[in-house]
Amino acid sequence: MGTRKMVINTIIAALYVAMTGIFGFMSFGAVQFRVSEMLNHLVGYHKNYKYGVLAGVFISNLIFSTLGMWDLVFGFGQTLFAFLILERFFKPGDSEMKRMMKVAGVFTITMVFVVVELYIVLDLPFWFSYATTAFGEAVVLIVTAPLIKYLNKIIGFTEKMA
């Protein structure tokens, strides 16, 4: 990876960590709306954005999570798994919005990783936790899709990674 791509991914990781910290009160637990998850949409523009998001998830969970190593394994694992699935689901002809809806769908479904963690560590009810975390993930990703689309018109996410 070239210097430009490393710098861009470092900025993405920093943005993810900053947003998670600012909105920390609603970024963890059985009911969560992690605003920084909006950056997951970037992988729809170029697969190399995943490195910045993954670094951001890892650092955020390391610094802010009260669940320690559990959140590093399950939270990071969920993000990595979702990105691996998306690499297989994206098709060259997919529109920008179709890619965003795929991101929203895959990340919402894979919240099961986080729910297993909450069930094991905090003994929270599985299906209630899945409903609340999946709902929060879906809301964040659907609501922020137009913002990311607008930012793409200004910034040009695909071109920045080319």
Side-chain angles (χ1 to χ4, degrees):
M1 185 180 302
T3 304
R4 178 187 175 107
K5 291 177 183 175
M6 286 193 324
V7 169
I8 290 169
N9 275 301
T10 301
I11 292 168
I12 291 167
L15 285 169
Y16 192 101
V17 171
M19 285 192 287
T20 303
I22 290 167
F23 297 105
F25 66 94
M26 61 184 195
S27 295
F28 298 93
V31 180
Q32 56 182 265
F33 294 89
R34 192 181 279 204
V35 177
S36 49
E37 288 287 283
M38 69 188 281
L39 297 173
N40 294 339
H41 284 302
L42 294 176
V43 79
Y45 295 98
H46 198 285
K47 66 181 182 178
N48 284 343
Y49 285 118
K50 71 182 172 224
Y51 301 112
V53 175
L54 285 165
V57 170
F58 187 84
I59 295 166
S60 293
N61 289 352
L62 181 67
I63 296 172
F64 302 118
S65 177
T66 58
L67 299 182
M69 193 58 118
W70 290 98
D71 226 3
L72 293 176
V73 172
F74 284 91
F76 180 83
Q78 182 259 344
T79 304
L80 178 61
F81 187 66
F83 282 151
L84 293 173
I85 291 171
L86 286 167
E87 284 183 13
R88 307 263 187 263
F89 276 8
F90 287 152
K91 304 291 182 240
D94 285 349
S95 70
E96 185 177 19
M97 283 311 289
K98 188 171 186 176
R99 286 177 177 260
M100 289 182 167
M101 290 306 106
K102 286 181 178 183
V103 168
V106 168
F107 271 90
T108 298
I109 291 166
T110 59
M111 285 303 285
V112 71
F113 279 72
V114 175
V115 173
V116 168
E117 172 192 11
L118 295 172
Y119 179 76
I120 292 170
V121 179
L122 300 177
D123 199 31
L124 295 177
F126 183 87
W127 291 110
F128 172 77
S129 298
Y130 188 64
T132 57
T133 58
F135 176 75
E137 187 76 0
V139 167
V140 166
L141 290 170
I142 291 168
V143 168
T144 61
L147 173 61
I148 293 293
K149 188 173 179 177
Y150 173 74
L151 289 173
N152 180 47
K153 288 181 181 180
I154 297 168
I155 298 169
F157 296 128
T158 304
E159 295 78 28
K160 295 293 181 213
M161 269 302 173

